[in-house]
Amino acid sequence: MSAKLKTLLEIADGSFNQLDACRETLRQLESLLWTLKTELGESRIGRLAAIGAYVALDRGDLVEADLGHWREQLEALEVSE
């Protein structure tokens, strides 16, 4: 494996780790917002908290799916080298 490819793989791996942390933060935000929604009920703020929870959940799912796809591509690249 060339030094450049090894460096690129290390950068990609570090980036994936950061995106994992982002995904986890989105999950925690979703949980917090859902708790607020539960406590506040059907008030305006409660409904806004529910919307925020759904957005955090959706974005977390997208990040998780993208990460899985990118990791598969990276593993295929590593195997081919």
Side-chain angles (χ1 to χ4, degrees), residues 9-63:
L9 292 173
E10 289 171 357
I11 291 169
D13 190 52
S15 300
F16 292 161
N17 290 338
Q18 288 297 316
L19 286 170
D20 271 331
C22 176
R23 179 190 48 79
E24 183 60 30
T25 301
L26 286 166
R27 297 290 188 228
Q28 292 169 354
L29 181 60
E30 179 218 348
S31 180
L32 172 66
L33 289 168
W34 197 253
T35 300
L36 284 172
K37 190 272 181 224
T38 302
E39 291 295 318
L40 297 171
E42 291 301 317
S43 68
R44 279 185 174 172
I45 297 171
R47 289 192 303 266
L48 284 173
I51 291 169
Y54 289 126
V55 169
L57 174 65
D58 188 50
R59 291 302 307 156
D61 287 346
L62 290 172
V63 168

